[in-house]
Amino acid sequence: MRRFILLFITATLLASASSLSLAQTPSDPSKTGEVMSAPPGTLSTLALPSSTVTNSRVGSGDLVRVTVFGQPDLSAEVGVNDKGMLTLPLIGALDVNGMTTSEISARVADALRQGQYLLKPEVSVEVVQLRSQMVSVLGEVSRPGRYPIPGHLSVLELLATAGGLTVQADQTVTLLRRKSNPGTTESDTRIPIQLGETSTTERGPLDVELTNGDVVYVNKKKLFYIHGEVNRPGGYPMEQDMNVMRAISLGGGMTQRASQRRIYINRETPDHSVQEMKAKLTDPVQPGDVVYVNESLF
C-alpha cells in the first residue's frame, strides 16, 4: 500500500512539472525565432522582434531613452522637438536631427566630458517611439498601415512586418518613392518589383532599402475569364506567357461538344469598347480577356 502511494505521488509531481514546463515555454515567434505559418499562397517570413529598432536615425517627434551608466540622475527619457533638438540634464539642448542613436551616444558622452561632469562617461541611447522615419504598405497584405523604419528596412522585411501577402496578392509589388524636393518639378518615382526576383551578383529588388515616406503597394491578382464549352468556366489568375491553350487547360479542358476552330477572345479596347477576335491555341491572353469556346456545329 505504501509503495502504491509513493508511486502515485511521484507520478503527480512529474505531471505538474511537465505542465509547468509547457506553460513557461515562450510562444511569441519574435522571441523564439520560429517561422510564422501563413495561408497557402502567402509569403512566409521570419517574425521581426520588437527590439529591432537599433541604431535608427532620429528626427522630430521621436522619443528616446538616454542612459548614462552609473548616473541615474543624468539618465532620461526625452522627446525630440520640432526643431530636432534633444534637451538633457546638465548638457542642455543638442541638435540630433538625422543622427543615429550611436552618433547621439557619442555626442552626449563628449558633452559630459567637455563639461567636466564625468571623466569617462558611458552612454547608451535607444529609440522608445520612432515617429519621424515611417513607411506605408498598402494593398494585398495582412496588416496594411504605416510602420517605422528600424535602422534599415527592406521591401521584403516590410512585407514580413505587415504579416505577409494575402491569397489575392499578385506577384508584382510597386514601390512609390516620393520626390526628395517637394518644391521642384521632380516627379514621384514608381519602381515595379517582381516577387521572386533574385540575383547572385548584386542586390535583388526585394532588398531595396526603404527611406522615409516610401509607399509599398501590393497589387491584386489580375484575372482572365474562360467560358463556354470548358469543364471549369470562371476567372483565373494571370500567369507569365499565358496563351489560349494554357487558359483552356486551367479551365479543365474542353468538353466533348467543344470546337477547337470556334474559339474567340473578347478584349476591352482603350476606348472601353469590346473587340471580339477569333483565336488560335497559340494566341496570347491578356489580363481581363474573356476566352469563349463555342460548341461544334456538327
Side-chain angles (χ1 to χ4, degrees):
M1 182 65 178
R2 180 179 298 175
R3 184 179 179 185
F4 175 79
I5 293 172
L6 288 173
L7 288 172
F8 176 78
I9 293 173
T10 303
T12 303
L13 289 173
L14 287 173
S16 300
S18 176
S19 63
L20 283 172
S21 175
L22 288 173
Q24 293 171 356
T25 302
S27 57
D28 183 358
S30 66
K31 296 182 176 64
T32 61
E34 69 192 76
V35 175
M36 298 174 66
S37 60
T42 63
L43 183 71
S44 298
T45 46
L46 190 67
L48 295 178
S50 58
S51 59
T52 319
V53 185
T54 56
N55 206 29
S56 303
R57 292 200 176 274
V58 171
S60 301
D62 293 343
L63 183 66
V64 299
R65 182 183 296 115
V66 180
T67 303
V68 182
F69 294 101
Q71 303 292 329
D73 294 338
L74 298 180
S75 303
E77 192 171 288
V78 292
V80 182
N81 65 19
D82 56 355
K83 296 181 180 179
M85 306 296 289
L86 192 69
T87 303
L88 295 170
L90 298 180
I91 299 174
L94 294 175
D95 186 0
V96 297
N97 192 40
M99 297 176 64
T100 64
T101 52
S102 60
E103 290 171 342
I104 298 172
S105 300
R107 185 161 186 183
V108 172
D110 188 54
L112 289 171
R113 234 182 343 262
Q114 289 185 0
Q116 298 184 353
Y117 300 112
L118 294 172
L119 292 177
K120 295 181 180 179
E122 295 184 13
V123 180
S124 170
V125 176
E126 59 181 328
V127 176
V128 179
Q129 290 184 353
L130 188 62
R131 298 172 181 168
S132 62
Q133 303 293 315
M134 302 288 289
V135 292
S136 300
V137 57
L138 305 171
E140 296 300 319
V141 291
S142 298
R143 296 189 298 272
R146 300 184 72 221
Y147 291 88
I149 302 176
H152 300 283
L153 188 68
S154 68
V155 174
L156 183 61
E157 288 168 338
L158 177 61
L159 295 177
T161 307
L165 308 182
T166 70
V167 293
Q168 296 298 323
D170 191 19
Q171 292 299 297
T172 303
V173 174
T174 302
L175 170 59
L176 175 63
R177 179 150 289 171
R178 304 294 185 185
K179 54 187 177 182
S180 54
N181 298 314
T184 65
T185 57
E186 180 186 359
S187 59
D188 296 340
T189 305
R190 292 179 178 270
I191 305 171
I193 298 173
Q194 195 73 19
L195 293 177
E197 285 186 358
T198 55
S199 173
T200 56
T201 58
E202 58 185 25
R203 208 170 180 188
L206 286 172
D207 289 330
V208 171
E209 188 173 321
L210 297 171
T211 59
N212 183 41
D214 282 353
V215 178
V216 174
Y217 184 81
V218 181
N219 302 295
K220 196 171 185 177
K221 284 180 180 175
K222 298 178 180 66
L223 302 178
F224 74 91
Y225 304 89
I226 183 163
H227 294 286
E229 296 301 326
V230 291
N231 291 302
R232 293 194 302 270
Y236 291 89
M238 284 294 300
E239 297 177 1
Q240 194 171 6
D241 301 324
M242 177 68 70
N243 59 19
V244 174
M245 182 184 296
R246 176 62 179 157
I248 292 172
S249 174
L250 290 174
M254 297 182 181
T255 67
Q256 293 181 349
R257 298 187 300 273
S259 171
Q260 185 174 319
R261 296 181 179 180
R262 301 187 67 212
I263 302 173
Y264 296 88
I265 293 177
N266 293 277
R267 180 172 297 162
E268 186 176 0
T269 60
D271 60 358
H272 301 294
S273 61
V274 177
Q275 179 184 8
E276 185 179 77
M277 303 171 291
K278 193 169 183 179
K280 302 188 293 293
L281 293 178
T282 55
D283 284 348
V285 175
Q286 297 180 7
D289 280 357
V290 178
V291 180
Y292 191 85
V293 181
N294 267 311
E295 63 182 351
S296 175
L297 296 176
F298 303 102

